[in-house]
Amino acid sequence: MHNLQFVEATVVDGVGLIELNRPEVLNAINRPMVTELVELMTAFDRDPEVGVMVITGKGRAFAAGADIHEMAGDSPIDLELLDQFADWDRILSIKKPIIGAVNGFALGGGFELALACDLLFTTETAQFGFPEVNLGVMPGAGGTQQLTKIMGKRKALEWLLTGEKMSAHEAFHFGVVNRLIAPELLLEETMKYAKKVAKQPPLAVRLIKEAVDKAVDYPLDEGMKFERKNFYLLFSSEDQKEGMSAFMEKRSPQFKGK
């Protein structure tokens, strides 16, 4: 169990469960929270006992945006010197799968954190959105880029230019989220799926995520070459030998992540 000031975490059956813990302000994201979150994610990424991570929020929201009071008086020089989004960028280097379990609001920075996850499970009543335009600013931690890659230019602009909220059903329709789940079952169902992933051979899971991430940006021929190299690489692993031997011997494989 890791209990920090703004984030709590524990490991359950190979799943690193991380909970944002500022429920009194709907888990508004401040800089110390991001630092704690990324430090925990980095530690789980290096922990051989963790195969996958789940991020959720305590209370009535996933994260209802950035802490506006924290940044309202910042100047461009302040933000440059703070390197405002350096910790956010580290999330993109996490090699293990990240699953977001979204309850309630995921707005502004909360939506950006959700989009930084590899998979999103959400309640049927969750709401998403980028209200930054209503404050005279715009997303800065990847929101315009991530949403456009998922929805396409026209649909992304439709939401970004008005700051309106997107329902969970709309998010599902546009491919922003993977599954809609009853609120009382969100964490249970998310953890059930995460535990299945945690039992898979770690190297294969890691290289599958890496190849899919490349597919988003690479032309098809380059993506195919990258995929093939990862495919070949896995044949040097003990898990490949174990997995294929177990299949031929009609027994359950015992993967070690080697």
Side-chain angles (χ1 to χ4, degrees), residues 151-253:
M151 301 178 72
K153 173 186 172 181
R154 289 177 175 81
K155 276 298 173 185
L157 275 173
E158 181 179 341
W159 296 101
L160 288 160
L161 293 178
T162 64
E164 291 179 353
K165 295 184 183 69
M166 181 190 307
S167 72
H169 288 274
E170 288 170 317
F172 180 76
H173 174 74
F174 293 121
V176 176
V177 305
N178 295 84
R179 298 187 186 181
L180 301 180
I181 301 170
E184 66 274 15
L185 297 175
L186 176 64
L187 194 55
E188 177 184 341
E189 291 298 314
T190 304
M191 289 296 288
K192 184 186 298 184
Y193 177 83
K195 289 175 184 178
K196 288 182 181 178
V197 176
K199 292 179 180 178
Q200 300 291 74
L203 290 174
V205 168
R206 170 174 168 168
L207 294 188
I208 288 170
K209 171 178 171 171
E210 185 179 55
V212 171
D213 284 344
K214 297 298 184 187
V216 175
D217 298 312
Y218 277 20
L220 180 60
D221 61 335
E222 290 185 33
M224 293 288 286
K225 291 174 184 175
F226 188 88
E227 176 189 79
R228 205 147 296 152
K229 287 180 180 179
N230 279 4
F231 175 78
Y232 295 154
L233 179 60
L234 286 169
F235 275 75
S236 67
S237 70
E238 294 179 19
D239 282 349
Q240 175 267 328
K241 306 297 186 295
E242 168 63 12
M244 292 190 174
S245 295
F247 176 82
M248 292 186 289
E249 295 165 9
K250 295 181 171 54
R251 60 176 175 83
S252 297

Side-chain angles (χ1 to χ4, degrees), residues 41-59:
M41 294 175 74
T42 301
F44 282 158
D45 208 31
R46 295 171 178 166
D47 187 344
E49 299 302 314
V50 174
V52 61
M53 301 172 216
V54 169
I55 301 176
T56 193
K58 282 184 173 289

Side-chain angles (χ1 to χ4, degrees), residues 70-91:
E70 182 183 61
M71 68 176 70
D74 285 341
S75 71
I77 299 301
D78 292 331
L79 296 174
E80 174 66 23
L81 293 175
L82 282 167
D83 201 1
Q84 171 82 357
F85 299 113
D87 282 331
W88 285 88
D89 292 342
R90 290 169 60 195
I91 296 175

